């Protein structure tokens, strides 16, 4: 399996140097010696004594960036003013904004979009609340809600730090499926308070995407909101991840010629994503799944404080295997990591059954470096976009919400999720299928439309669609 080398990063170093003491070639030499490549130079200002330049440098990773900066700091007469990188630039001022669909050019326009004209529209909705779907943003808008407790694999970094991820999710909703999404990060970790806040803001939204809320309180939050709201509530880290994982596994198993019911699967990280991945695999027919968290395999001889693990032990691990990841991985056909960086070792992979499938999905750093695993695995996938086979919930949530909004589904149920998984898997044809192409790219424009259609069909089949007529046409088309 050929893998690209890790993605490089560009940083721009604004520095001032004293012309009499330092030459640019000293600076270039220091950067080169520390392993950086200069890819751009801009002169910002120049006087007889000093010059200020922006030097854009390509480096392998943050560690190498630190080495480059340290090397520059050592040169007498050089002062680093600031360092920025492209990723940070893309975040300056946030990544999304609100736009009006109609320009307000005249007084007449003003009196229609706002008072007094708007009052008639408000009254129409007050008389018939369903009209909120046709006369407000509700029909096409999803709230992306987080409390910042399980942001990617970064853990409990809080609501301010969670915002860039939620803004990113909102961008993906819009770009891939035309769904308007709004990031809302809550400064509370209290389960009941989160439930009440989400219920209170629900009138503006056609769906709720819960994101990066840690286990176990994410389960209660989702359960209650599903029960108490009449719009789809979907915890993406659970179900979006599970859907894409199943899609990838269906295709990976075709390559190795194994069947769901015959494989042994080890899942690490029995939190939001791990429990949902396990449940979708059981629903799809897998019989032997062993969950491993920090203390080892989850089994039936242990009494867990976490009620979800207590239940997990009952529905998994048919042979009641005990021990560490390194022990229970022996003979496994599939490893699914939704836990923490670097916890799967090469020696563990070597103990797996023939043609191992390794989905190391922790973000941003997977459970095993794909380049280390490469010689020993048949199919390797990560959650990242810089390696082949990206198993990431971004393949699911835009299309699944597009479908749910278009048929005005009151929920996203198991049938809709299974349909979405099969739809994603189907985008890769048998001719295209290979070890490095088990799952379509998020940029494959068939993905969202196929998921949307499959989800709409499943919604009507299971009686949760509330639109009288099946919505036809492409997802970008206006829905009446
Ligand atoms: N590729 C994808 O689409 C997705 C990837 N993820 C990744 O999965 C990971 C977990 O996410 P969530 O389930 O939302 O978080 P969570 O906080 O609900 O669950 C994480 C679980 O991993 C366990 N864990 C932590 N360190 C461990 C270790 N060394 N060994 C075994 N278990 C360990 C924790 O005890 C916890 O049970 C994160 O890295 C996240 O980025 C999550 C959702 C989607
Ligand atoms: C992809 C995603 O949702 C996560 O890593 O949390
Ligand atoms: Mg997430």
């Amino acid at each position: 399996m050929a893998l690209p080398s890790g993605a490089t990063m560009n940083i721009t170093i604004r520095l001032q140097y004293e012309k009499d003491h330092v030459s640019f070639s000293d600076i270039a030499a220091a950067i080169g010696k520390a392993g950086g490549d200069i890819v751009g130079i801009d002169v910002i200002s120049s006087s007889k004594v000093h010059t200020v330049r922006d030097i854009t440098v390509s480096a392998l990773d943050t560690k190498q960036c630190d080495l480059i900066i340290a090397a520059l700091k050592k040169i007498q007469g050089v002062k680093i003013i600031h360092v920025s990188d492209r990723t940070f630039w893309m975040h300056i001022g946030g990544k999304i904004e609100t736009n009006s669909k109609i320009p307000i050019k005249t007084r007449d326009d003003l009196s229609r979009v706002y008072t007094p004209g708007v009052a008639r529209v408000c009254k129409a909705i007050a008389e018939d609340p369903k009209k909120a779907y046709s006369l407000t943003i509700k029909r096409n808008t999803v709230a992306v809600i987080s409390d910042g407790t399980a942001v990617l694999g970064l853990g409990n970094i809080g609501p301010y730090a969670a915002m860039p991820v939620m803004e990113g999710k909102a961008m993906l909703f819009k770009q891939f499926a035309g769904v308007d999404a709004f990031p809302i990060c809550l400064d509370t970790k209290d389960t009941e308070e989160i439930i009440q806040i989400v219920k209170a803001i629900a009138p503006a939204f056609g769906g709720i995407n819960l994101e990066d809320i840690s286990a176990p309180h994410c389960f209660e939050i989702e359960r209650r909101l599903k029960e108490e709201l009449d719009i789809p509530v979907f915890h993406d880290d659970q179900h979006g991840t599970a859907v894409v994982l199943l899609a990838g596994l269906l295709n990976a198993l075709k390559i190795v010629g194994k069947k769901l019911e015959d494989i042994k699967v080890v899942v690490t990280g029995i939190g939001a994503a791990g429990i949902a991945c396990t449940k979708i695999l059981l629903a799809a027919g897998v019989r032997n799944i062993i969950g491993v968290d920090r203390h080892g395999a989850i089994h039936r001889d242990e009494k867990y404080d976490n009620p979800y693990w207590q239940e997990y032990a009952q529905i998994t691990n048919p042979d009641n295997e005990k021990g560490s990841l390194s022990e229970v991985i022996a003979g496994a056909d599939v490893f699914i990591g939704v836990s923490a960086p670097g916890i799967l070792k090469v020696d563990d992979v070597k103990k797996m059954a023939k043609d191992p499938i390794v989905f190391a999905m922790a973000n941003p750093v997977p459970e095993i470096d794909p380049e280390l695993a490469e010689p020993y695995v048949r199919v390797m996938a990560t959650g990242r976009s810089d390696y082949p086979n990206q198993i990431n919930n971004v393949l699911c949530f835009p299309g699944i919400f597009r479908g749910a909004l278009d048929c005005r589904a009151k929920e996203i149920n198991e049938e809709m999720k299974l349909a979405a998984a099969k739809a994603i898997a189907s985008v890769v044809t048998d001719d295209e299928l290979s070890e490095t192409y088990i799952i379509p790219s998020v940029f494959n424009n068939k993905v969202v439309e196929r998921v949307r259609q499959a989800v709409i069909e499943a919604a009507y089949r299971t009686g949760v669609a509330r639109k009288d007529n099946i919505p036809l046409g492409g997802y970008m088309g206006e829905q009446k």
Side-chain angles (χ1 to χ4, degrees):
M1 185 172 69
L3 287 167
S5 60
T8 57
M9 56 185 288
N10 281 4
I11 51 167
T12 299
I13 306 163
R14 179 163 294 182
L15 51 75
Q16 173 184 288
Y17 61 90
E18 291 168 23
K19 286 175 166 171
D20 282 350
H21 294 105
V22 189
S23 71
F24 185 74
S25 57
D26 297 333
I27 290 170
I31 292 172
K33 213 166 152 205
D37 281 329
I38 296 178
V39 293
I41 305 158
D42 293 293
V43 179
I44 302 302
S45 64
S46 188
S47 71
K48 285 203 174 106
V49 187
H50 294 123
T51 179
V52 176
R53 294 192 183 191
D54 274 354
I55 305 175
T56 303
V57 178
S58 166
L60 265 183
D61 51 25
T62 48
K63 220 162 119 192
Q64 192 161 57
C65 291
D66 291 344
L67 290 176
I68 293 165
I69 291 156
L72 290 172
K73 279 184 178 164
K74 275 193 201 143
I75 307 174
Q76 236 185 355
V78 169
K79 186 173 143 205
I80 308 270
I81 298 172
H82 61 71
V83 181
S84 52
D85 70 35
R86 263 198 315 179
T87 307
F88 274 75
W89 285 342
M90 289 177 107
H91 286 80
I92 288 172
K95 299 189 293 256
I96 57 168
E97 62 182 13
T98 307
N99 280 307
S100 301
K101 287 158 105 178
I102 319 149
I104 307 167
K105 289 188 179 149
T106 63
R107 255 176 197 285
D108 188 49
D109 292 341
L110 180 62
S111 66
R112 285 173 203 277
V113 301
Y114 193 50
T115 182
V118 73
R120 282 197 299 118
V121 182
C122 298
K123 281 203 232 157
I125 299 171
E127 277 162 26
D128 179 4
K130 281 205 297 294
K131 289 201 170 134
Y133 277 101
S134 52
L135 296 171
T136 74
I137 59 171
K138 186 175 179 72
R139 77 172 173 194
N140 198 48
T141 309
V142 165
V144 179
I145 309 248
S146 183
D147 62 357
T149 50
V151 181
L152 309 176
L154 306 174
N156 182 2
I157 58 172
Y160 291 94
M163 271 302 282
V165 174
M166 305 313 136
E167 289 182 20
K169 292 262 172 188
M171 292 171 81
L172 301 173
F173 264 117
K174 185 68 181 181
Q175 164 147 350
F176 293 123
V179 171
D180 295 301
F182 201 83
I184 298 172
C185 288
L186 303 176
D187 195 2
T188 172
K189 296 174 186 31
D190 183 86
T191 301
E192 193 57 38
E193 200 175 6
I194 294 172
I195 293 166
Q196 293 313 325
I197 293 171
V198 176
K199 279 175 67 180
I201 63 167
F205 299 101
I208 303 290
N209 181 101
L210 302 173
E211 191 67 46
D212 293 355
I213 300 178
S214 64
H217 79 308
C218 63
F219 301 123
E220 175 68 1
I221 292 169
E222 191 195 40
R223 187 188 67 76
R224 287 273 306 284
L225 287 173
K226 281 179 89 154
E227 234 169 65
E228 295 174 31
L229 286 174
D230 66 348
I231 52 175
V233 177
F234 183 83
H235 183 196
D236 183 36
D237 297 287
Q238 292 183 57
H239 314 298
T241 314
V243 162
V244 183
L245 159 83
L246 178 59
L249 188 59
L250 289 172
N251 282 344
L253 289 177
K254 283 190 204 164
I255 291 175
V256 297
K258 296 182 186 177
K259 293 204 180 92
L260 286 168
E261 52 273 29
D262 300 332
I263 55 175
K264 174 179 174 183
V265 179
V266 171
V267 180
T268 61
I270 308 308
I275 292 181
C277 288
T278 301
K279 286 191 173 167
I280 207 166
L281 292 181
L282 290 171
V286 180
R287 291 195 283 232
N288 188 3
I289 306 182
I290 302 175
V292 178
D293 210 274
R294 293 175 204 267
H295 62 283
I298 295 185
H299 58 84
R300 282 179 292 290
D301 296 341
E302 182 82 40
K303 174 108 185 64
Y304 299 103
D305 291 340
N306 179 341
Y308 298 96
W309 285 2
Q310 205 55 36
E311 183 207 332
Y312 192 94
Q314 301 308 314
I315 58 174
T316 56
N317 202 348
D319 301 327
N320 212 23
E321 290 189 44
K322 293 166 196 159
S324 64
L325 170 60
S326 302
E327 289 165 310
V328 298
I329 195 84
D333 301 280
V334 179
F335 168 85
I336 295 165
V338 272
S339 50
I343 65 162
L344 183 72
K345 307 296 172 208
V346 168
D347 281 346
D348 301 331
V349 178
K350 287 184 187 164
K351 291 182 202 160
M352 292 177 71
K354 188 168 177 277
D355 294 331
I357 297 172
V358 171
F359 291 175
M361 292 155 61
N363 284 321
V365 184
E367 282 76 4
I368 187 165
D369 180 340
E371 280 153 48
L372 291 180
E374 184 199 353
Y376 309 100
V377 297
R378 179 79 187 271
V379 182
M380 175 79 212
T382 68
R384 297 167 59 115
S385 40
D386 50 357
Y387 289 108
N389 294 334
Q390 182 183 21
I391 308 263
N392 193 297
N393 49 32
V394 61
L395 277 163
C396 173
F397 66 81
I400 213 163
F401 269 100
R402 182 71 277 161
L405 289 173
D406 287 353
C407 68
R408 216 160 284 167
K410 55 180 180 237
E411 63 177 31
I412 294 173
N413 59 30
E414 297 311 307
E415 287 80 356
M416 290 157 84
K417 290 179 218 160
L418 281 173
K422 288 180 186 156
I424 296 167
S426 77
V427 174
V428 179
T429 63
D430 286 347
D431 285 347
E432 293 169 326
L433 188 66
S434 77
E435 281 83 349
T436 50
Y437 188 53
I438 55 161
I439 194 93
S441 151
V442 64
F443 291 104
N444 185 322
N445 58 16
K446 290 192 190 120
V447 174
V448 168
E449 188 50 34
R450 267 204 211 171
V451 171
R452 169 189 177 270
Q453 276 174 17
V455 163
I456 289 173
E457 274 165 34
Y460 280 98
R461 201 169 56 242
T462 54
V464 298
R466 286 177 292 187
K467 266 198 151 187
D468 294 339
N469 303 317
I470 297 185
L472 300 168
Y475 70 87
M476 286 302 192
E478 269 291 277
Q479 297 299 316
K480 293 280 175 303

